[in-house]
């Protein structure tokens, strides 16, 4: 949408002096504070300013906006067999996690400008999470700070790395309401892709889909887990479809409302149902069996790459980020999916949700190693 002359003048002033108060801007523009507020709202709607603040939007068409969960992940790994009722020896570590946050960090690690829309508490884990995510290169200016606690995901793994028990406490994501998204419409507009995870409420997800349709930004939906992933159903029934859906087999079954055996034929049948509802691409994760990518007329089966598995948490998030990074670099969907599997291989080898070893060079090396 084109800017008015007055809006262009205001934008130039904000660019030159980003810390100006509304009063200063009004004085320099020779207008009232109320008029400045009206122009700022309009500039935000048109995508020239980000969020509510006077932040000039980067003119970067490659930006990906990621909306959903941000948690602190706490992992404990036993050194021997679990004995209930006693203190078991083990190792423990803590690192930022959350599906949307992980996708955003993986994108940034791969050189794609990533903007996170999530919610964290005003507590120390919230401070740490924001600091580390920003340090990894993610734009965190749209993250909501709440008075309550930051979401957490606490998992205990046995000595071989199998998950024994997990506790997810992620209420902060409830603060991502339709109104919170409206306030951040400027960030969405002009982005190359949006990503939403299944932690969003059905109402917020449906609203995000309608905003994406309005501003013509394709949305990838990452369902996260079976009951939560089914939050896409009201939108699908209402005729709003994401561009791409990336379920695992159980999540795919929940989306089509029936059992789906993990065979290529059965998967194709279920995937076609999603295409029939307007979804253009479906990428089904099959754990160590790899994945099946369907872009309507074209179906590709991809193998997982060999890996020394330590902890699979976050592998799906890395896969999605590397896929989008490769699409943005001009790769075909099938080749981009191969990049996704290389990123997943690096991630399953780390105890953290995002592999500290993921870089464009490490990804290229993993892809080359996998060349037949
Ligand atoms: N045991 C394994 N060996 C090798 N690669 C694996 C293994 N498990 C997962 N992967 C890799 O990670 C990718 C994603 O894992 P999976 O399909 O289990 O997704 P997921 O169920 O969403 O996992 P998560 O929720 O932990 O991200 C796989 O497609 C594969 O490339
Ligand atoms: O049930 C869940 N387990 C794990 C997570 C989060 O997923 C991330 C990995 O995809 C992980 O970092 C955790 O915070 C979640 O949102 N729900």
């Amino acid at each position: 949408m084109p800017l008015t002359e007055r809006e262009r003048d205001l934008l130039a002033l904000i660019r030159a002096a980003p810390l100006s108060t509304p009063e200063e801007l009004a004085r320099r523009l020779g207008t009232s504070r109320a008029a400045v507020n009206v122009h700022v709202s309009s500039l935000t709607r048109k995508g020239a300013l980000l969020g509510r603040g006077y932040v000039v939007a980067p003119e970067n068409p490659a930006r990906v906006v990621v909306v959903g969960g941000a948690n602190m992940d706490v992992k404990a790994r036993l050194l021997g067999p679990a004995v209930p009722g006693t203190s078991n020896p083990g190792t423990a570590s803590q690192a930022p996690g959350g599906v949307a946050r992980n996708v955003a960090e993986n994108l940034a690690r791969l050189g794609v400008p990533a903007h996170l829309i999530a919610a964290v508490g005003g507590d120390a884990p919230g401070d740490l999470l924001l600091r580390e995510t920003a340090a990894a290169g993610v734009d965190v200016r749209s993250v909501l700070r709440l008075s309550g606690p930051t979401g957490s995901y606490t998992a205990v793994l046995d000595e071989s790395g199998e998950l024994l028990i997990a506790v997810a406490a992620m209420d902060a994501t409830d603060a991502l309401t339709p109104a919170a998204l409206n306030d951040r419409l400027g960030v969405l507009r002009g982005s190359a892709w949006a990503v939403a995870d299944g932690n969003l409420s059905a109402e917020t997800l449906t609203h995000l889909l309608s905003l994406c349709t309005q501003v013509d930004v394709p949305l990838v939906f990452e369902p996260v887990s079976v009951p939560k992933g089914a939050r896409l159903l009201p939108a699908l029934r209402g005729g709003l479809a994401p561009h791409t859906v990336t379920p695992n087999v159980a999540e795919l079954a929940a989306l089509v409302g029936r059992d789906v055996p993990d065979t290529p034929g059965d998967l194709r049948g279920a995937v076609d149902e999603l295409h029939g509802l307007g979804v253009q691409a479906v990428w089904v994760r099959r754990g160590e069996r790899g994945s099946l990518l369907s872009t309507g007329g074209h179906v590709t089966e991809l193998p997982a790459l060999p890996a020394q598995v330590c902890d699979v948490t976050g592998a799906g998030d890395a896969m999605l980020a590397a896929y989008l990074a490769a699409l943005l670099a001009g790769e075909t969907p099938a080749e981009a999916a191969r990049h996704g599997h290389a990123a997943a291989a690096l991630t399953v080898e780390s105890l953290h949700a995002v592999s500290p070893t993921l870089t464009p060079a490490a990804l290229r090396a993993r892809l080359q190693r996998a060349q037949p």
Side-chain angles (χ1 to χ4, degrees):
M1 227 184 291
L3 306 187
T4 65
E5 205 181 330
R6 212 64 176 145
E7 288 169 352
R8 272 201 304 273
D9 289 346
L10 180 61
L11 197 61
L13 283 178
I14 294 173
R15 264 209 186 94
L19 297 179
S20 304
T21 63
E23 285 77 9
E24 284 163 352
L25 290 171
R27 205 172 48 248
R28 291 208 203 129
L29 211 58
T31 186
S32 66
R33 189 194 151 147
V36 165
N37 285 342
V38 169
H39 295 321
V40 165
S41 301
S42 173
L43 283 167
T44 306
R45 264 198 321 277
K46 291 179 179 177
L49 291 179
L50 296 182
R52 276 191 182 152
Y54 298 152
V55 182
V56 178
E59 284 159 6
N60 194 332
R63 181 180 63 212
V64 177
V65 177
V66 193
V67 191
N71 310 316
M72 275 315 279
D73 287 0
V74 180
K75 299 266 180 63
R77 191 166 168 166
L78 299 178
L79 291 175
V83 184
T86 65
S87 174
N88 291 277
T91 56
S93 75
Q94 174 175 302
V99 175
R101 200 216 64 87
N102 294 343
V103 171
E105 180 176 342
N106 281 303
L107 282 165
R109 285 182 163 278
L110 293 172
V112 176
H115 196 112
L116 178 65
I117 300 183
V120 301
D123 48 7
D127 288 339
L128 183 66
L129 189 151
L130 279 180
R131 204 169 53 242
E132 295 203 357
T133 306
V138 176
D139 191 331
V140 298
R141 286 174 294 177
S142 293
V143 175
L144 278 89
R145 277 315 300 253
L146 312 171
S147 51
T150 295
S152 64
Y153 172 72
T154 307
V156 180
L157 312 175
D158 72 11
E159 42 191 329
S160 69
E162 277 299 310
L163 181 65
L164 284 180
I165 191 163
V167 179
M170 306 168 177
D171 296 346
T173 317
D174 295 345
L176 296 175
T177 58
L181 294 186
N182 287 343
D183 287 344
R184 291 160 177 76
L185 185 55
V187 175
L188 194 60
R189 200 190 297 276
S191 293
W193 286 93
V195 176
D197 80 35
N199 289 307
L200 298 177
S201 69
E203 188 196 8
T204 300
L205 185 59
T206 305
H207 188 68
L208 178 59
L209 266 163
S210 66
L211 291 180
C212 285
T213 309
Q214 205 178 304
V215 298
D216 202 19
V217 174
L219 180 92
V220 182
F221 177 64
E222 157 61 70
V224 175
S225 70
V226 173
K228 287 181 179 171
R231 291 173 179 176
L232 179 65
L233 292 174
L236 285 176
R237 289 193 197 109
L240 279 171
H243 179 284
T244 299
V245 181
T246 57
N248 62 25
V249 178
E251 291 156 357
L252 177 65
L255 287 172
V256 296
R258 60 180 169 76
D259 237 30
V260 179
D262 187 1
T263 71
D266 290 299
L267 294 177
R268 280 177 188 220
V271 160
D272 283 342
E273 285 179 44
L274 294 183
H275 287 314
L277 291 167
V279 179
Q280 294 182 41
V282 184
W283 190 18
V284 187
R285 290 192 301 272
R286 308 173 67 200
E288 58 190 325
R289 294 192 204 189
S291 66
L292 181 140
L293 172 69
S294 171
T295 48
H298 205 81
V299 177
T300 314
E301 280 178 53
L302 297 118
L305 301 191
Q308 302 278 326
V309 179
C310 166
D311 173 19
V312 295
T313 310
D317 309 338
M319 238 169 118
L320 170 51
Y323 174 74
L324 287 180
L327 285 184
L328 286 168
E331 301 290 356
T332 62
E335 180 58 20
R338 247 173 44 80
H339 286 233
H341 281 296
L346 287 165
T347 308
V348 299
E349 292 181 348
S350 153
L351 187 61
H352 294 313
V354 174
S355 168
T357 60
L358 181 67
T359 59
L363 190 76
R364 270 196 307 276
R366 212 21 111 92
L367 280 168
Q368 268 157 16
R369 244 173 69 183
Q371 255 357 325

